[in-house]
Amino acid sequence: MPTLDLNKLKSGTDVRGVAVEGKEKITLTDEAVTLITKAFVKWLAEKTGKTAFKIAVGNDSRISANRIVNCVKGALLSSGCDMVYTSLSSTPSMFILLQQPEYACDASVMITASHMPFDRNGLKFFTKQGGISGEDLNEILKIAQNGVFLSGNGAYEEKPFMDGYSKILVETVERACGKLPLKGKKIVVDAGNGAGGFFAEKVLIPLGADVGGSRFLEPDGYFPNHIPNPEDKTAINSLKEAVKESRADFGVIFDTDVDRAACVGADGEEINRNSLIALISAILLKERKGVIVTDSVTSGGLTEFIESLGGEHLRFKRGYKNVIDKCRELNESGVYSPLAIETSGHAAFKENYYLDDGAYLIVKLLISLAQLAKQGKDLTSLISSLKKPAEEAEIRIGFGAASKDFKAEGAKVIEELKHTAEQTAGLKVEKVNYEGVRIYFDGGLMLVRMSVHDPVMPINIESGEKGGVKRAAQTLLSLLERYEFLNTENLQKFIKSF
């Protein structure tokens, strides 16, 4: 039986850990990868009643990819599985591959740690039904700890899929817009040396776009220019610079494994977070009215915008799997919901298997870009009425030395805040809320919630007027100071910074 504590490698629905020796010791060891992969096969057997599987394996550009691929290969073949190695791949492509009869694969494994630093890596698991859940991963890790697996001698082949995946994306645009719909348009891609460089050569060029000015398309697992992450300021500023320098009509940025994306308009301004959600919502709600499911930190202006288009905005819990599952639940109950999207850029469409796919998100935007160009308009015209706060901030406070059980203490704070805020002059609490407590004040709102995994309480504040965020923060501090187990130092520093 393994002596490793594999549960420490769990991150939501993924396995993640340190994969390169450096400042920290390697935690995603050969043994850990081998055990977890073998456990995935055993879990598949228990779920399906089968004992023979064909499993696809791909990886992003990280420097530890080869080591981990070899571990996964050894684990699969010795478990009696046939393995199809797809080489450099995006995470969404590893699910779409499972829908292709010519591959005839039962499941897939993607080797990635998404936007994390170069010394990290991880495993994502897919079946034909989609990505596994957190509960599924718990079962897999339990099997791995028990150390009882299948055995056999599987076969190995190499068969990349990115060309086929790119063709699917190109055909999606062509069905809506015809051949070469982006001819005359300059569109730049910043892939940050992750797996997203394919989008320029294999999607945009076949659609007629000029991709001159694109940056960091070549895979480099050290990420020497910036971390591939649409939420990273250095990364988004790099794309802004590329758009301005090349006078592009549009700019696109992906995270390392291309399950998230953001963009920049011709004016050099980013279309991200609430603006990105508004933009894709405007496109989808024009096709058919429905419910847009987002995470909890979206703005009040976004809600107004979605409702002005005849849609409904449902704020749900943080975590892309949470919003995806809610969107699926709505549709299965007969309530039409075309989109589940997080402010981080994870966007999953009902029409695309509820798969969070950054490249598919951009494809939907490109279709609209091409259609609007015929009318002499650009994409940003769709969100011209979106109200943006005059000020917004996120402050993260932690738990101090007096803390004994941060999860229970965080839940206590949130529950009591609902009552104290209601009794505080000038404050009003959102009645229907799925995460934390959402508090309205004159001209703005605050969201106080617990982090999904960490002993941290993030606080999001937005205000329609200058100075409103500071006043709200002061009011909130007065409500939180009585909790000895909270460390409100960051909130105090934030207030003093004005």
Side-chain angles (χ1 to χ4, degrees):
M1 184 178 292
T3 57
L4 299 173
D5 184 1
L6 299 175
N7 288 311
K8 291 182 178 179
L9 296 173
K10 183 176 187 283
S11 177
T13 59
D14 304 343
V15 170
R16 289 184 185 173
V18 180
V20 178
E21 195 73 54
K23 293 181 180 178
E24 298 177 77
K25 202 173 178 183
I26 291 177
T27 58
L28 195 66
T29 61
D30 291 4
E31 181 184 8
V33 173
T34 300
L35 290 170
I36 294 169
T37 304
K38 285 185 174 183
F40 176 56
V41 176
K42 181 74 180 301
W43 177 82
L44 282 173
E46 292 178 356
K47 293 293 180 184
T48 63
K50 295 172 58 178
T51 55
F53 302 97
K54 187 177 182 182
I55 298 180
V57 178
N59 56 269
D60 69 19
S61 60
R62 293 169 186 278
I63 61 171
S64 56
N66 287 341
R67 173 178 73 83
I68 297 175
V69 166
N70 287 331
C71 293
V72 171
K73 178 182 177 181
L76 292 178
L77 299 186
S78 65
S79 295
C81 296
D82 293 340
M83 172 175 157
V84 179
Y85 179 47
T86 61
S87 188
L88 185 71
S89 303
S90 71
T91 291
S93 76
M94 296 306 294
F95 172 74
I96 296 297
L97 175 149
L98 299 180
Q99 314 306 316
Q100 310 308 308
E102 65 270 27
Y103 278 80
C105 288
D106 301 287
S108 62
V109 182
M110 177 65 182
I111 298 167
T112 181
S114 189
H115 62 281
M116 296 185 79
F118 80 94
D119 62 345
R120 263 61 175 175
N121 216 328
L123 305 170
K124 292 187 176 186
F125 299 103
F126 292 96
T127 68
K128 288 186 177 182
Q129 287 68 50
I132 65 169
S133 68
E135 292 73 23
D136 293 334
L137 183 54
N138 287 337
E139 292 177 15
I140 291 167
L141 294 176
K142 187 176 180 180
I143 294 169
Q145 293 287 173
N146 289 338
V148 180
F149 310 113
L150 303 186
S151 62
N153 293 291
Y156 172 83
E157 67 172 308
E158 295 185 6
K159 190 176 181 181
F161 178 58
M162 287 306 291
D163 283 353
Y165 172 70
S166 299
K167 185 181 178 184
I168 291 170
L169 296 175
V170 170
E171 289 174 348
T172 299
V173 179
E174 289 178 340
R175 279 196 300 271
C177 304
K179 296 287 185 180
L180 301 176
L182 300 179
K183 190 173 182 179
K185 293 292 182 184
K186 176 167 275 194
I187 301 177
V188 298
V189 176
D190 186 327
N193 305 111
F198 79 94
F199 198 82
E201 176 190 352
K202 297 181 179 181
V203 179
L204 291 176
I205 290 176
L207 290 171
D210 175 355
V211 298
S214 292
R215 293 183 168 188
F216 318 134
L217 303 181
E218 290 299 315
D220 185 333
Y222 284 102
F223 311 135
N225 297 289
H226 59 71
I227 293 174
N229 181 2
E231 289 191 292
D232 180 75
K233 281 298 175 188
T234 301
I236 205 74
N237 285 339
S238 172
L239 179 61
K240 285 181 177 182
E241 189 178 85
V243 168
K244 290 175 182 176
E245 283 184 2
S246 61
R247 296 181 180 177
D249 299 288
F250 194 57
V252 178
I253 188 167
F254 297 109
D255 72 341
T256 318
D257 62 330
V258 201
D259 60 0
R260 293 190 296 131
C263 46
V264 167
D267 58 1
E269 293 301 312
E270 70 179 282
I271 305 171
N272 208 353
R273 298 179 67 81
N274 287 294
S275 296
L276 180 61
I277 298 171
L279 181 57
I280 189 61
S281 295
I283 292 168
L284 293 172
L285 293 173
K286 186 177 181 181
E287 296 171 1
R288 181 180 172 185
K289 308 308 180 196
V291 180
I292 304 298
V293 183
T294 74
D295 58 1
S296 60
V297 301
T298 47
S299 71
L302 177 64
T303 302
E304 285 185 38
F305 179 80
I306 289 171
E307 290 176 349
S308 74
L309 298 174
E312 183 181 339
H313 182 197
L314 193 159
R315 290 192 190 90
F316 201 56
K317 302 172 185 176
R318 288 279 280 178
Y320 67 91
K321 196 74 168 64
N322 289 328
V323 296
I324 290 172
D325 288 348
K326 190 63 179 178
C327 180
R328 188 191 296 269
E329 177 191 312
L330 286 171
N331 283 297
E332 289 175 353
S333 71
V335 177
Y336 177 66
S337 176
L339 177 70
I341 184 167
E342 272 203 309
T343 47
S344 64
H346 279 287
F349 296 78
K350 177 182 183 292
E351 67 187 49
N352 190 44
Y353 307 99
Y354 298 102
L355 175 67
D356 51 317
D357 184 344
Y360 192 83
L361 168 64
I362 296 301
V363 156
K364 291 292 288 186
L365 299 183
L366 292 176
I367 290 170
S368 187
L369 183 150
Q371 292 171 341
L372 287 167
K374 293 179 181 179
Q375 305 169 35
K377 299 178 182 178
D378 63 21
L379 275 174
T380 56
S381 66
L382 296 179
I383 54 173
S384 59
S385 63
L386 175 66
K387 293 179 182 176
K388 297 182 180 179
E391 293 180 334
E392 56 186 333
E394 179 173 288
I395 310 113
R396 300 168 72 84
I397 64 174
F399 291 76
S403 174
K404 303 298 182 186
D405 181 348
F406 73 87
K407 289 185 179 179
E409 291 159 353
K412 172 184 169 70
V413 170
I414 288 167
E415 196 57 38
E416 291 183 356
L417 262 182
K418 293 176 183 177
H419 300 292
T420 55
E422 282 285 17
Q423 296 165 10
T424 302
L427 301 183
K428 183 181 178 182
V429 175
E430 177 75 71
K431 298 297 183 186
V432 180
N433 196 56
Y434 295 94
E435 183 172 44
V437 54
R438 197 172 186 89
I439 303 170
Y440 294 91
F441 59 90
D442 187 25
L445 58 88
M446 302 182 267
L447 173 68
V448 183
R449 62 184 179 86
M450 279 298 296
S451 168
V452 177
H453 305 296
D454 304 317
V456 173
M457 187 168 277
I459 300 163
N460 294 85
I461 310 176
E462 64 175 65
S463 174
E465 59 182 48
K466 293 291 184 182
V469 165
K470 179 181 179 179
R471 290 194 297 273
Q474 288 172 323
T475 300
L476 184 60
L477 179 61
S478 71
L479 301 178
L480 297 179
E481 283 180 318
R482 65 192 182 95
Y483 297 102
E484 294 182 359
F485 52 76
L486 283 181
N487 180 354
T488 59
E489 184 178 338
N490 284 348
L491 186 56
Q492 294 173 42
K493 285 181 179 177
F494 174 79
I495 294 167
K496 289 177 182 177
S497 70
F498 278 84

